[in-house]
Amino acid sequence: MIGCHQKAPRNKIDSDNNHKLNKTDFKPANCKIVEIRGTPDKSKYNITRLDFICDDSILISSYDLFIENPYREMNFPMINESTDFYSVPKNHKDIKKYGNIDFNLKNESFKKICNEIPHPIEVLLSRSNPYLAITRCDVNTINSYKVIVNYYISLYGFIDSLKKKKGVVFLGGQLEVLNSKGEKEYQICADNYAITHTQLDSTYQFLTFRTTEMEGRNGKDGFQIYDLFNRVLLYKIEFDTTKILNHIVYERNDYVLFQVSKRQSHLREIFLYDLHEKIAYKKLLPESYKYSDPVIVKDCIVFSKYISSFDNEETYIYDTLKINKMKGNDR
């Protein structure tokens, strides 16, 4: 999984992450990840840099989200105030510092687009006439000890043969897991899908995330689970556009729980992946079932439902599903 395709940069800017600021051989347990933000707001969407600090005060490396964006060196003009077809927000210069870079493809040839974007592009995509590339960065720091840095790219073009409707025509991405020393421990190259909603379990062994892929005019959602210790994909499932994946829940290093909902109804399906058995179990919930927000408590999946009360206090009632019963019914 290590070694995504990278274009040779035109003008390489050295990042602090590529050159160690201190040669001492620290152990990750003695180090921590510090998020540097562009504003005082604690949102994960305004992080500009990750500093890796050891022994409380020694900076050994840094990860600049703008510089490390794998799409930064694409030879296209960046979107700015003079772009005639796209309105940039007033703070777009600050947004770039957070690792989000947008490109103008309007006057670019399809051949150049294929050469510059570090993902394989299908020839059929030329009919959509891509005119805009948007890249986004998402950071998920876990207990100041591990961090998931996830970039993805969206190409916008025409989604119909008459060239009247515009929308996303391609998605790709790259994910990296780094430890508290700034060392890259794992990398996933998503050549035809975007990765979002990344999570690590409490043991830092199991990585889960949601996938979104464009397929013709339609997209599809999915879900993947990786074992980072053994460097293998444990589970992968995809859904068409009538369904949406939501609510991913970990229970220690025993289970991963998530549910898939029908977009136009209350019909839901619960998936429970047993990390020891390496088996996924599922249960279809009827449309009349109004309980939601499942969590795992000991040997049960617990659902909750809000009900109104006479004194206007928040009141919840609960329903439970025994995990062993769910497993037995699914065999």
Side-chain angles (χ1 to χ4, degrees), residues 221-242:
D221 283 334
F223 182 77
Q224 295 185 19
I225 305 173
Y226 281 83
D227 181 338
L228 300 190
F229 289 1
N230 296 301
R231 312 181 77 80
V232 294
L233 171 64
L234 293 177
Y235 184 67
K236 175 182 177 180
I237 190 168
E238 294 178 329
F239 315 96
D240 62 31
T241 53
T242 64

Side-chain angles (χ1 to χ4, degrees), residues 11 18 85 89 160 227 247 298:
N11 296 300
N18 291 330
F85 67 92
D160 67 326
D227 181 338
H247 205 90
K298 296 183 179 179

Side-chain angles (χ1 to χ4, degrees), residues 12-277:
K12 177 61 179 175
I13 301 176
D14 289 332
S15 74
D16 290 338
N17 191 51
N18 291 330
H19 108 223
K20 296 299 179 183
L21 303 180
N22 192 294
K23 300 298 183 182
T24 306
D25 187 21
F26 294 101
K27 295 180 179 180
N30 299 327
C31 306
K32 65 180 181 180
I33 302 165
V34 178
E35 299 172 342
I36 308 300
R37 290 178 165 80
T39 67
D41 182 15
K42 293 297 184 180
S43 168
K44 68 175 183 177
Y45 298 108
N46 67 346
I47 299 170
T48 62
R49 192 178 78 241
L50 299 168
D51 284 349
F52 301 90
I53 308 292
C54 295
D55 283 359
D56 294 327
S57 60
I58 301 174
L59 174 67
I60 62 168
S61 67
S62 289
Y63 190 105
D64 186 295
L65 299 185
F66 172 77
I67 292 175
E68 297 294 339
N69 186 317
Y71 307 103
R72 181 178 60 85
E73 291 290 343
M74 295 192 306
N75 188 18
F76 302 121
M78 292 185 185
I79 295 289
N80 55 39
E81 295 90 343
S82 64
T83 305
D84 57 0
F85 67 92
Y86 190 78
S87 298
V88 298
K90 292 181 179 180
N91 64 336
H92 80 98
K93 292 182 180 179
D94 293 327
I95 292 174
K96 285 200 297 186
K97 296 177 184 178
Y98 308 146
N100 306 314
I101 310 173
D102 302 336
F103 298 90
N104 183 352
L105 311 182
K106 198 171 182 180
N107 298 313
E108 306 292 350
S109 69
F110 186 70
K111 181 179 179 180
K112 181 178 177 181
I113 292 173
C114 291
N115 289 336
E116 292 291 326
I117 292 176
H119 299 292
I121 304 294
E122 293 185 5
V123 175
L124 291 176
L125 201 62
S126 63
R127 301 174 185 173
S128 66
N129 294 114
Y131 64 90
L132 172 68
I134 290 179
T135 73
R136 292 292 177 262
C137 177
D138 187 40
V139 177
N140 185 5
T141 305
I142 299 95
N143 299 329
S144 299
Y145 188 65
K146 301 280 186 180
V147 62
I148 307 170
V149 183
N150 174 43
Y151 293 92
Y152 63 90
I153 183 170
S154 307
L155 293 189
Y156 286 77
F158 294 95
I159 60 176
D160 67 326
S161 58
L162 298 178
K163 300 192 183 305
K164 293 183 178 180
K165 295 182 179 180
K166 298 177 180 180
V168 178
V169 295
F170 175 82
L171 291 167
Q174 175 179 304
L175 175 150
E176 294 180 345
V177 179
L178 296 91
N179 64 21
S180 55
K181 290 177 62 176
E183 298 168 331
K184 187 187 302 181
E185 295 187 337
Y186 206 78
Q187 186 179 64
I188 293 176
C189 307
D191 277 336
N192 63 341
Y193 59 89
I195 296 173
T196 55
H197 297 75
T198 60
Q199 291 192 36
L200 274 175
D201 77 307
S202 59
T203 67
Y204 311 115
Q205 178 174 356
F206 300 107
L207 168 70
T208 63
F209 52 81
R210 174 179 169 178
T211 64
T212 304
E213 179 182 351
M214 298 309 301
E215 196 173 70
R217 290 182 58 183
N218 299 318
K220 58 184 178 182
D221 283 334
F223 182 77
Q224 295 185 19
I225 305 173
Y226 281 83
D227 181 338
L228 300 190
F229 289 1
N230 296 301
R231 312 181 77 80
V232 294
L233 171 64
L234 293 177
Y235 184 67
K236 175 182 177 180
I237 190 168
E238 294 178 329
F239 315 96
D240 62 31
T241 53
T242 64
K243 302 174 183 176
I244 185 169
L245 174 71
N246 48 33
H247 205 90
I248 301 171
V249 178
Y250 274 116
E251 172 59 14
R252 301 184 304 276
N253 60 337
D254 297 324
Y255 299 106
V256 179
L257 172 70
F258 60 97
Q259 62 177 325
V260 177
S261 303
K262 296 280 283 187
R263 291 183 185 272
Q264 303 301 324
S265 72
H266 294 286
L267 196 66
R268 290 172 292 144
E269 195 166 13
I270 300 296
F271 288 79
L272 180 75
Y273 186 83
D274 190 312
L275 292 166
H276 299 289
E277 298 177 355

